[in-house]
């Protein structure tokens, strides 16, 4: 396809016509809700560019978009990336006006990439950042250097996501670029394979009044697993230990068998069929009308066929153990026509992504590695717990993670910050996972104390909080930034 | 209503061997108000530390086989109702009285505090059982981590979680699954799960394909559930946390091998089946627990992983599961085996629970060497009738013949193959664990003992019954007896010796001499006419392991005295069975 820089209206119209025809033949088709059109239009400003992320589910040549999220404006150069999560960033916004994007070349790549990482954490399994949208006073994809820049933005994003495989955010073959010309109010969509040709292909973006229907899948994953720390090994950082745990758990989840509503289904069965039979059965039992928000119950089983016949008993002197225990609530959405295989992949992704997000957030929040004093025999690490927030006019929920002591208002802040969404506090489903009761873990009779724990006395119950919420770090950094700005 | 009573014929046969007046326990399957007694144990009263008692023995049985009654052999004191105290599977325990003098069996059900005699006892055989019940062999390897020898606690935990429904079962043959019964909507039977419709027809076909010596069990595998269910009564649980405990300890890691059997009626519902399979896992874990406990008591040895093994002692007609520590020799398992012999009323002269005695399970994937092909021969009046004395090989052997192991010995290897058949018998009876020796190894052995010059190795020279005897003596450390016949006619005159051999020793006999070598598996002797028939296993067969061909073409079959060449001499090698357990 030739991208002439022509601005004649007539020619554009013809070009557009050709593009629609071609897309029918080969390009991607993208379905989005009308509400997102309004959102996109609302971002239009006469002399500024707004960049953001396209979020949804991709199946073959079709994409179902659930959300568009504006990337918050970057802050001063001295500010580290963590500020993105900061609740005070919003206040900062007003003082940092000069950071607004005046030209496509000014788009901060790593900033957008970082935004993509944070947004990916909030997505249910099976959904990803599918690409980027840009609102600005021109047809951006008609300009070669702009296209170059956007490719580079997507490549940075991809690179950033792929170095974190447990976030399951980088399996895009193609990325979408959606452009709204704030002058003409026309939008165009292209797809691009950044790893190969890099050529823009037309895609058919459809805003439609009728929302995509989603199947909701729910699983409660019970963890109770012991990980050992060998005594003869050099001590590793907690971060490394948690990464090992993540890998181990991820392998188990990947190997597990997904059971849908008590049955193992063939990969090609459609979920519609399962939903329908569930509905029929429910109707026959009692005439419940409220079947719309029913979810499909999922169970996970680990096959234990004897693959390795190793009958060794391994005895290892250990210096510590880490027990991962608790319940992870997984809620996944797949589009209406999805089959069992797609659902299976989405569910596993959701569980692994959710665990990875928590553990990452946890180790990022640790301020000091505790090689602590000998009397600290038991430490409870509480990674943040999941809360779910429904998207407007949709049953699709996104996740946020709250550290102990944080409340739903924290979730609202990150939602506004990262997804540009205003949500009421009562839309936060905050009780799907509970905060653990630390005293249960510090009480001595619950754990194996056959060894001589002479050091444990009444002060052994002392709870050391080894994390601090990122909020506080952010505040410090922002204050620092302001001081630096004032100084120079 | 009083249950129907059926007794496996093997039980009656075994009772004949119990000489003393003893009390014991009965074990059986209850289905559809019919009690089928499968086996018994006797109460061991001597001073040996009672490692296995009757409740412990139940764990060695397949799930569904329960302690169901009391056995009295000869004159014993009846203590009602205390003697029924351990029997909790039924309200109407069985009381069986057996008397030596008239070989009489009397049965009573204990109903409403009274012993009600059972008038109609059906004696059934193993095949009758197999028409209604099948074995399910459930396996899985469960990762286990213990700290500071708390293995037993960890095992208890995993048992608890299994009982609470945290497992699923996979039947790979039909790719069927069953999960915790609470969620099963449509209850289907095992017959439907495994798609067994015409069991009668199938059984006959199978009989042609599968010889005895190989057990047929439905394979099933364990799945561990790692998710919970959204139940209204279940509270929301706390999010995943990590409890980091710093202290020095020793960890113990292993993969626990569960390998457990259930004897299940084909009409059982999937909900019941789930419960049965869970019970079978629990029995297995309890045996494993016991095996760990025994090792922990002997603290000087390092802990070995307990491995379940299945046995089917000759004449039992049912399977028994035993757990031995991995890598233990037959000598190290001796004490446990002695206890098993005693409680099961087995003699102390033959091994039944050595590694070599372990049951082989049918595996459709591999074409394996046939075991006991002679059992597929349909016998007629010529062989068995009132005037004839018949004695055949006891236990199992493998049919070794030309061209096996991808080795071309056509024309010269028959005696080597006959020797291999004999060694397979010693292996399958548990006497030895040495692998079946190749022709080369047999030749090397003869060179090593000085019987043959060194160029004998890798040659194609024949060997005879003397050489077979030498090799058996040096490789297996057993003795042999030799019988000689100067002509083929004379072989028949040795019939009484052979009858005695098969009755007392029961080992396959190698016969060679001037001509071809064969294996004799049995003998039928007409006491009136003096006619003799020989059960012959022919090592000259060059075809595939196809039982119908082997039987129909007479490669394994009864032969008359004309089978032996009149003008040839014959030597027979009669391997002697060692007396040991």
């Amino acid at each position: 396809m030739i991208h002439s820089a022509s601005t004649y209206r007539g020619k554009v119209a013809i070009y557009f016509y050709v593009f629609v025809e071609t897309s029918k033949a080969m390009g991607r088709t993208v379905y989005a809700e009308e509400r997102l059109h309004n959102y996109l239009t609302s971002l239009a400003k006469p002399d500024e560019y707004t960049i953001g992320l396209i979020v949804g589910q991709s199946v073959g040549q079709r994409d179902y978009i659930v959300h568009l999220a504006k990337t918050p404006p970057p802050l001063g150069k001295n500010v580290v990336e963590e500020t993105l999560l900061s609740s005070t960033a919003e206040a900062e916004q007003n003082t940092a006006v000069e950071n607004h994007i005046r030209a496509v070349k000014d788009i901060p790549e790593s900033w957008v990439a970082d935004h993509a990482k944070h947004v990916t954490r909030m997505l249910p399994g099976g959904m990803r950042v599918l690409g980027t949208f840009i609102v600005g006073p021109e047809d951006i994809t008609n300009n070669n250097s702009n296209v170059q820049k956007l490719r580079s933005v997507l490549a940075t994003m991809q690179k950033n996501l792929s170095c974190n495989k447990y976030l399951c955010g980088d399996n895009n073959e193609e990325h979408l670029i959606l452009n709204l010309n704030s002058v003409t109010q026309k939008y165009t969509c292209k797809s691009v394979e950044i790893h190969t040709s890099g050529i823009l292909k037309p895609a058919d973006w459809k805003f439609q009044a009728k929302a995509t229907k989603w199947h909701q899948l729910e699983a409660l994953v019970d963890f109770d697993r012991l990980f050992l720390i060998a005594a003869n090994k050099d001590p590793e950082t907690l971060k490394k230990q948690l990464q090992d745990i993540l890998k181990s758990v991820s392998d188990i989840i990947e190997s597990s068998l997904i059971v849908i509503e008590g049955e193992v289904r063939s990969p090609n069965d459609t979920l519609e069929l399962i939903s329908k039979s569930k509905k029929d059965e429910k109707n026959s039992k009692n005439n419940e009308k409220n079947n719309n928000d029913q979810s499909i119950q999922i169970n996970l089983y680990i096959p234990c066929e004897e693959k390795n016949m190793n009958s060794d008993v391994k005895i290892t002197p250990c210096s510590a153990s880490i027990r991962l225990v608790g319940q992870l609530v997984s809620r996944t959405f797949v589009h209406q026509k999805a089959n069992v295989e797609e659902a299976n992949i989405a569910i596993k992704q959701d569980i692994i992504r959710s665990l990875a997000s928590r553990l990452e957030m946890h180790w990022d929040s640790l301020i000091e590695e505790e090689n602590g004093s000998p009397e600290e025999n038991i430490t409870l690490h509480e990674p943040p717990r999941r809360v779910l927030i429904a998207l407007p006019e949709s049953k699709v929920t996104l996740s946020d993670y709250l550290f102990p002591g944080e409340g739903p208002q924290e979730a609202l802040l990150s939602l506004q910050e990262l997804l540009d969404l205003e949500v009421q506090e009562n839309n936060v489903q905050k009780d799907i996972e509970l905060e653990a009761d630390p005293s249960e873990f510090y009480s001595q009779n619950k754990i194996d104390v056959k060894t001589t724990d002479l050091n444990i006395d009444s002060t052994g119950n002392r709870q050391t909080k080894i994390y601090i919420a990122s909020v506080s770090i952010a505040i410090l950094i922002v204050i620092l930034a302001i001081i630096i700005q004032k100084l120079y | 209503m009083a249950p129907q009573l059926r007794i496996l014929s093997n039980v009656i046969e075994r009772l004949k061997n119990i000489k003393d007046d003893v009390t014991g326990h009965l074990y059986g399957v209850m289905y559809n108000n019919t009690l089928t007694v499968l086996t018994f144990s006797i109460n061991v009263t001597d001073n040996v530390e009672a490692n296995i008692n009757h409740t412990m023995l139940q764990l060695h049985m397949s799930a569904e086989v329960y302690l169901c009654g009391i056995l009295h052999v000869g004159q014993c004191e009846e203590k009602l109702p205390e003697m029924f105290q351990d029997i909790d599977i039924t309200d109407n325990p069985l009381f069986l009285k057996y008397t030596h003098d008239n070989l009489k069996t009397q049965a009573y059900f204990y109903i409403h505090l009274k012993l009600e005699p059972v008038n109609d006892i059906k004696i059934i055989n193993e095949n009758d059982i197999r028409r209604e019940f099948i074995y399910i062999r459930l396996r899985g390897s469960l990762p286990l981590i213990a700290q500071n020898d708390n293995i037993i606690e960890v095992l208890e935990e995993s048992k608890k979680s299994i009982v609470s429904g945290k497992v699923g079962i996979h039947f790979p043959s039909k790719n069927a699954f069953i999960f915790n019964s609470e969620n099963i909507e449509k209850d289907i039977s095992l017959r439907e799960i495994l798609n067994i419709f015409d069991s009668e027809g199938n059984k006959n076909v199978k009989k042609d394909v599968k010889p005895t010596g190989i057990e047929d069990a439905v394979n099933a595998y364990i799945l561990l559930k790692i998710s919970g269910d959204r139940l209204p009564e279940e509270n929301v649980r706390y999010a995943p946390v990590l409890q980091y405990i710093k202290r020095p300890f020793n960890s113990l890691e292993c993969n626990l091998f569960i390998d457990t059997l259930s004897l299940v009626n084909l009409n059982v519902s999937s909900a019941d089946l789930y419960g049965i399979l869970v019970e079978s896992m629990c029995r297995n874990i309890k045996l494993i627990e016991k095996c760990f406990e025994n090792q922990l008591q002997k603290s000087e040895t390092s802990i070995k992983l307990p491995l379940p093994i299945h046995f089917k002692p000759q004449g039992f007609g049912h399977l028994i599961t035993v757990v031995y520590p991995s890598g233990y020799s037959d000598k190290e398992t001796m004490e446990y085996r002695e206890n098993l012999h005693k409680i099961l009323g087995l003699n102390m002269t033959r091994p039944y629970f050595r590694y070599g005695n372990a049951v082989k399970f049918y595996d459709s994937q591999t074409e394996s060497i046939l075991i006991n092909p002679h059992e597929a021969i349909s016998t007629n009046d010529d062989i068995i009738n009132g005037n004839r004395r018949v004695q055949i090989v006891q236990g199992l052997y493998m049919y070794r013949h030309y061209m096996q192991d991808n080795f071309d010995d056509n024309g010269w290897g028959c005696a080597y193959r006959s020797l291999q058949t004999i060694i397979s018998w010693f292996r399958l009876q548990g006497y030895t664990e040495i692998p079946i020796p190749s022709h080369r190894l047999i030749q090397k052995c003869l060179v090593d003992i000085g019987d043959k010059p060194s160029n004998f190795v890798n040659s194609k020279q024949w060997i005879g019954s003397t050489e077979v005897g030498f090799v058996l003596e040096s490789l297996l450390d057993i003795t042999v007896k030799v019988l000689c016949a100067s002509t083929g006619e004379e072989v028949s005159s040795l019939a009484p010796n052979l009858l005695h051999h098969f009755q007392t020793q029961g080992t396959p006999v190698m016969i060679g001499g001037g001509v071809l070598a064969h294996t004799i598996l049995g003998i039928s002797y007409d006491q009136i006419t003096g006619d003799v028939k020989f059960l012959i296993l022919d090592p000259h067969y060059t075809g595939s392991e196809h039982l119908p061909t082997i039987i129909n073409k007479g490669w394994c079959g009864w032969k008359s005295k004309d089978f032996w060449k009149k003008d040839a001499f014959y030597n027979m090698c009669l391997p002697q069975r060692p007396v040991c357990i």
Side-chain angles (χ1 to χ4, degrees):
Chain A
M1 183 132 321
I2 301 148
H3 299 277
S4 66
S6 169
T7 51
Y8 294 115
R9 290 184 74 90
K11 250 193 165 176
V12 170
I14 292 161
Y15 163 78
F16 189 72
Y17 171 76
V18 174
F19 148 65
V20 170
E21 280 302 297
T22 343
S23 77
K24 263 180 195 159
M26 52 174 286
R28 305 189 71 84
T29 311
V30 189
Y31 302 95
E33 288 163 35
E34 196 57 46
R35 127 186 120 78
L36 298 173
H37 193 193
N38 301 336
Y39 173 72
L40 208 60
T41 319
S42 76
L43 296 175
K45 290 189 185 126
D47 54 350
E48 267 178 39
Y49 293 82
T50 307
I51 188 156
L53 305 173
I54 304 171
V55 165
Q57 197 161 76
S58 175
V59 194
Q61 287 292 297
R62 276 170 300 147
D63 299 292
Y64 300 93
I65 307 307
V66 292
H67 193 58
L68 297 174
K70 180 182 79 179
T71 301
L75 301 168
K77 291 258 186 249
N78 293 321
V79 181
V80 289
E81 285 171 357
E82 268 85 347
T83 342
L84 196 55
L85 264 179
S86 156
S87 55
T88 49
E90 200 193 349
E92 181 67 11
Q93 205 173 300
N94 300 326
T95 59
V97 194
E98 63 277 14
N99 285 322
H100 286 171
I101 304 163
R102 300 283 174 201
V104 171
K105 68 174 169 52
D106 295 339
I107 296 170
E109 289 168 21
S110 60
W111 183 260
V112 177
D114 205 50
H115 182 217
K117 184 181 94 178
H118 287 281
V119 167
T120 301
R121 275 182 187 164
M122 304 180 82
L123 302 180
M127 296 203 187
R128 303 191 299 266
V129 173
L130 298 176
T132 170
F133 71 83
I134 180 154
V135 181
E138 60 171 316
D139 286 334
I140 285 148
T141 52
N142 287 351
N143 175 320
N144 240 336
S145 62
N146 283 350
V147 169
Q148 200 56 44
K149 177 68 182 178
L150 288 177
R151 265 193 221 123
S152 157
V153 168
L154 291 171
T156 313
M157 192 167 94
Q158 170 104 5
K159 204 177 144 213
N160 197 22
L161 287 171
S162 66
C163 54
N164 195 335
K165 82 178 226 210
Y166 302 114
L167 267 190
C168 315
D170 74 324
N171 28 5
N172 293 4
E173 276 175 22
E174 290 185 297
H175 285 82
L176 297 173
I177 298 173
L178 174 67
N179 170 220
L180 179 80
N181 184 325
S182 53
V183 180
T184 63
Q185 294 290 314
K186 284 243 155 30
Y187 60 86
T188 51
C189 182
K190 308 274 170 157
S191 68
V192 56
E193 286 178 47
I194 48 169
H195 283 309
T196 53
S197 61
I199 295 170
L200 297 197
K201 287 190 284 184
D204 184 10
W205 184 290
K206 290 178 173 167
F207 283 116
Q208 46 186 15
K210 214 177 76 191
T212 309
K213 281 188 182 148
W214 298 94
H215 297 286
Q216 179 176 328
L217 310 160
E218 197 155 317
L220 312 170
V221 185
D222 288 323
F223 290 111
D224 192 354
R225 222 158 250 284
L226 196 68
F227 300 88
L228 303 168
I229 299 182
N232 58 358
K233 269 202 192 157
D234 288 337
E236 277 169 336
T237 60
L238 183 71
K239 178 175 172 178
K240 177 74 176 64
Q241 289 163 348
L242 295 185
Q243 280 169 336
D244 291 346
I245 290 174
L246 180 57
K247 178 181 186 316
S248 156
V249 173
S250 160
D251 290 346
I252 288 163
I253 300 294
E254 286 293 355
S255 76
S256 65
L257 175 84
I258 303 277
V259 177
I260 301 175
E261 292 289 337
E263 276 183 63
V264 179
R265 307 280 182 160
S266 136
N268 298 324
D269 283 2
T270 64
L271 288 187
E272 247 170 346
L273 210 75
I274 297 164
S275 270
K276 198 170 167 291
S277 68
K278 190 178 154 91
K279 216 173 266 182
D280 290 348
E281 177 206 322
K282 236 190 187 159
N283 283 341
S284 64
K285 272 185 187 161
N286 47 6
N287 258 330
E288 265 183 79
K289 281 200 174 166
N290 209 351
N291 279 329
N292 283 338
D293 45 47
Q294 65 177 341
S295 61
I296 298 172
Q297 292 303 312
I298 303 296
N299 274 300
L300 285 92
Y301 287 82
I302 319 169
C304 22
E305 266 183 62
E306 308 147 52
K307 283 173 210 107
N308 96 55
M309 286 299 289
N310 180 5
S311 55
D312 288 349
V313 174
K314 199 170 113 196
I315 303 217
T316 322
C318 293
S319 58
S321 66
I322 303 178
R323 180 169 165 238
L324 172 67
V325 61
Q327 190 175 64
L328 182 152
V329 175
S330 159
R331 190 178 292 172
T332 315
F333 299 87
V334 287
H335 66 94
Q336 195 175 8
K337 304 278 180 207
N339 63 19
V340 165
E341 190 179 11
E342 290 169 51
N344 288 355
I345 293 169
I347 293 158
K348 289 179 179 179
Q349 251 182 30
D350 188 69
I351 296 165
I352 294 167
R353 178 184 285 168
S354 177
L355 187 68
S357 301
R358 297 159 202 244
L359 294 184
E360 265 174 35
M361 289 170 78
H362 180 69
W363 70 58
D364 282 348
S365 72
L366 294 172
I367 46 167
E368 68 178 82
E369 195 58 48
E370 26 106 52
N371 293 317
S373 43
E375 68 261 34
E376 282 179 78
N377 285 51
I378 305 172
T379 314
L380 184 66
H381 290 276
E382 292 178 82
R385 67 183 200 281
R386 190 179 222 177
V387 293
L388 296 172
I389 310 108
L391 279 168
E393 302 154 48
S394 171
K395 71 180 194 181
V396 172
T397 54
L398 302 179
S399 312
D400 194 26
Y401 293 92
L402 300 183
F403 282 97
E406 287 184 332
Q409 61 284 358
E410 256 88 6
L412 299 185
L413 281 174
S414 42
L415 223 65
Q416 189 187 51
E417 194 58 35
L418 294 167
L419 299 169
D420 203 11
L421 268 178
E422 295 280 354
V423 182
Q424 296 301 307
E425 192 171 317
N426 56 11
N427 286 339
V428 180
Q429 300 171 37
K430 59 180 195 302
D431 293 326
I432 54 158
E433 292 178 2
L434 295 184
E435 226 172 278
D437 173 12
S439 63
E440 199 182 310
F441 294 90
Y442 289 104
S443 72
Q444 289 307 299
N445 52 2
K446 287 254 175 180
I447 58 147
D448 168 54
V449 279
K450 279 187 181 167
T451 40
T452 46
D453 286 338
L454 292 173
N455 293 320
I456 293 176
D457 53 14
S458 55
T459 58
N461 223 4
R462 171 168 63 107
Q463 177 190 344
T464 31
K465 295 237 171 186
I466 34 76
Y467 65 85
I468 68 159
S470 51
V471 179
S472 8
I473 307 180
I475 292 169
L476 281 171
I477 291 165
V478 168
I479 292 168
L480 203 71
I482 294 167
I483 293 169
I484 292 166
Q485 265 184 351
K486 289 257 165 76
L487 279 177
Y488 297 96
Chain B
M1 198 177 85
Q4 298 291 305
L5 179 63
R6 303 190 303 184
I7 301 179
L8 185 62
S9 56
N10 304 61
V11 171
I12 309 292
E13 288 304 311
R14 282 170 60 205
L15 282 172
K16 291 177 186 163
N17 297 325
I18 308 293
K19 299 299 175 215
D20 310 316
D21 291 354
V22 286
T23 60
H25 290 85
L26 300 164
Y27 307 79
V29 186
M30 189 75 170
Y31 190 81
N32 220 355
N33 203 38
T34 301
L35 175 64
T36 309
V37 178
L38 294 177
T39 194
F40 65 87
S41 66
I42 56 175
N43 295 336
V44 182
T45 46
D46 62 7
N47 263 340
V48 177
E49 190 187 332
N51 222 336
I52 311 168
N53 63 11
H54 53 276
T55 46
M56 183 69 193
L57 189 69
Q58 183 177 274
L59 303 177
H60 293 71
M61 305 290 174
S62 308
E64 282 293 85
V65 181
Y66 283 100
L67 196 56
C68 64
I70 295 297
L71 170 72
H72 280 186
V73 179
Q75 292 302 311
C76 304
E77 190 192 348
E78 286 169 30
K79 284 183 228 155
L80 291 171
E82 305 93 86
M83 64 182 193
F84 295 125
Q85 65 184 355
D86 290 330
I87 300 163
D88 37 24
I89 192 63
T90 167
D91 293 333
N92 308 127
L94 179 69
F95 176 44
L96 200 69
K97 274 170 93 170
Y98 179 83
T99 38
H100 296 300
D101 312 336
N102 49 7
L103 304 177
K104 217 176 123 193
T105 312
Q106 285 171 287
Y108 308 85
F109 279 115
Y110 189 62
I111 300 171
H112 302 309
L113 305 175
K114 262 169 62 190
L115 286 176
E116 302 280 356
V118 182
N119 299 319
D120 180 26
I121 306 176
K122 258 195 222 141
I123 307 294
I124 60 167
N125 63 29
E126 202 188 338
N127 285 338
D128 298 327
I129 303 247
R130 283 310 186 95
R131 268 189 282 278
E132 295 167 43
F133 296 87
I134 53 170
Y135 280 105
I136 295 178
R137 184 184 186 198
L138 178 61
R139 278 177 287 177
S141 93
L142 316 183
L144 177 139
I145 301 179
Q147 310 166 61
N148 286 334
D149 298 341
N150 71 344
I151 310 168
I152 306 301
E153 288 161 50
V154 175
L155 284 172
E156 285 294 326
E157 280 301 312
S158 50
K159 209 165 68 194
K160 244 187 247 166
S161 116
I162 287 169
V163 171
S164 72
K166 288 274 183 190
V167 283
I169 316 286
H170 180 210
F171 295 93
S173 62
K174 294 281 176 281
N175 202 28
F177 293 87
I178 52 173
F179 301 110
N180 195 3
S181 54
E182 277 172 57
N183 301 326
I184 295 176
E185 287 133 21
K186 27 185 188 177
D187 208 358
I188 55 171
S189 75
L190 176 60
R191 204 186 279 276
E192 287 165 280
I193 294 172
L194 299 175
N195 218 352
I196 305 169
F197 288 110
D198 184 17
S199 72
E200 282 294 308
N202 269 347
K203 273 275 140 63
N204 289 336
V205 175
K206 271 181 194 165
K207 198 149 196 180
D208 283 338
V209 185
K210 292 180 204 171
T212 45
I214 305 255
E215 278 305 312
D216 195 7
V218 174
N219 282 316
Y221 291 95
I222 301 170
L223 300 161
L224 284 183
K225 190 179 183 185
I226 53 166
S227 58
D229 292 297
R230 177 75 81 205
L231 300 170
E233 68 269 23
E234 212 162 285
N235 291 326
V236 179
R237 293 190 46 206
Y238 56 80
V241 295
L242 299 126
Q243 185 188 32
Y244 195 116
I245 306 177
K246 227 188 255 181
R247 80 262 180 250
F249 66 97
N250 280 326
S251 69
L252 180 151
E253 288 169 277
C254 58
N255 279 321
L256 209 60
F257 291 121
I258 303 288
D259 183 347
T260 186
L261 297 169
S262 308
L263 186 60
V264 186
N265 192 287
L266 282 167
N267 295 321
V268 79
S269 70
S270 55
D272 289 344
L273 180 61
Y274 183 85
I276 293 166
L277 293 171
V278 164
E279 162 71 14
S280 79
M281 274 183 261
C282 289
R283 285 191 181 185
N284 221 230
I285 292 174
K286 280 181 199 160
L287 282 179
I288 288 166
E289 214 175 289
K290 189 82 189 161
C291 182
F292 269 127
E293 267 173 16
N294 290 345
Q295 292 184 67
L296 288 170
Q297 281 163 10
K298 299 178 242 168
S299 53
E300 74 277 7
T301 53
S302 63
I303 300 277
K304 296 278 196 286
L305 184 70
L307 293 178
I309 306 173
H310 309 294
F311 295 96
K312 189 179 180 185
Q314 208 193 327
F316 265 50
H318 71 89
L319 295 170
I320 290 180
T321 305
V322 184
V323 171
Y324 294 135
S326 155
Y328 265 35
S329 66
D330 283 331
K331 202 176 156 206
E332 287 167 294
T333 60
M334 173 94 117
E335 189 189 334
Y336 200 87
R337 290 188 290 116
E338 266 174 8
N339 288 328
L340 279 174
H341 276 244
K342 281 179 192 155
I343 193 166
L344 290 167
L346 286 164
N347 63 55
M348 287 293 180
T349 59
R350 294 174 182 189
Y352 290 101
F353 299 105
R354 289 197 187 187
Y355 291 110
N357 299 112
V359 154
K360 277 107 203 123
F361 284 96
Y362 178 73
D363 176 6
S364 56
Q365 315 287 301
T366 55
E367 188 202 52
S368 50
I369 293 176
L370 294 173
I371 292 180
N372 285 26
H374 74 271
E375 290 185 36
I377 299 169
S378 46
T379 48
N380 56 36
D381 280 358
D382 285 355
I383 311 300
I384 298 170
N385 63 46
N387 301 328
R388 285 184 165 271
R389 284 187 64 206
V390 181
Q391 289 294 338
I392 59 169
V393 66
Q394 299 172 16
L396 307 175
Y397 62 91
M398 281 179 168
Y399 180 20
R400 309 288 309 191
H401 58 77
Y402 278 168
M403 307 303 284
Q404 280 178 341
D405 323 309
N406 296 318
F407 187 72
D408 184 356
D409 56 343
N410 196 349
W412 61 277
C414 51
Y416 294 85
R417 296 297 184 180
S418 183
L419 172 59
Q420 288 180 338
T421 297
I422 293 171
I423 293 178
S424 79
W425 184 93
F426 279 91
R427 279 172 52 83
L428 289 167
Q429 264 49 244
Y431 289 106
T432 181
E433 285 188 81
I434 68 153
I436 303 286
S438 63
H439 296 55
R440 195 184 170 280
L441 225 108
I442 291 167
Q443 290 167 336
K444 196 174 168 296
C445 170
L446 289 166
V447 171
D448 288 347
I449 61 168
D451 181 61
K452 292 278 186 289
S454 58
N455 65 359
F456 183 65
V457 177
N458 292 332
S459 72
K460 291 188 176 180
Q461 292 187 49
W462 294 25
I463 55 169
S465 54
T466 327
E467 287 88 347
V468 167
F470 287 157
V471 174
L472 286 173
E473 282 168 349
S474 70
L475 288 186
L476 300 188
D477 197 22
I478 58 161
T479 59
V480 298
K481 275 186 183 162
V482 176
L483 291 176
C484 302
S486 50
T487 66
E489 297 253 294
E490 223 182 285
V491 174
S492 297
S493 67
L494 297 170
N497 306 56
L498 286 172
L499 277 171
H500 180 73
H501 168 79
F502 284 113
Q503 188 176 8
T504 56
Q505 304 299 320
T507 63
V509 170
M510 184 262 172
I511 180 165
V515 286
L516 310 169
H518 287 94
T519 312
I520 304 177
L521 295 174
I523 189 146
S524 167
Y525 175 64
D526 193 311
Q527 288 164 301
I528 294 167
T529 64
D531 177 60
V532 183
K533 295 263 188 316
F534 299 89
L535 181 55
I536 300 297
L537 186 68
D538 193 337
H540 304 91
Y541 176 61
T542 53
S544 64
E545 314 299 316
H546 187 241
L547 188 60
T549 307
I550 288 162
I551 300 303
N552 296 334
K553 305 270 182 192
W555 293 104
C556 176
W558 288 96
K559 310 285 177 189
S560 68
K561 62 180 171 48
D562 304 329
F563 185 74
W564 313 112
K565 288 212 163 59
K566 288 196 173 67
D567 51 352
F569 72 93
Y570 286 93
N571 289 325
M572 280 175 254
C573 173
L574 282 53
Q576 304 297 295
R577 188 198 269 265
V579 177
C580 61
I581 70 158

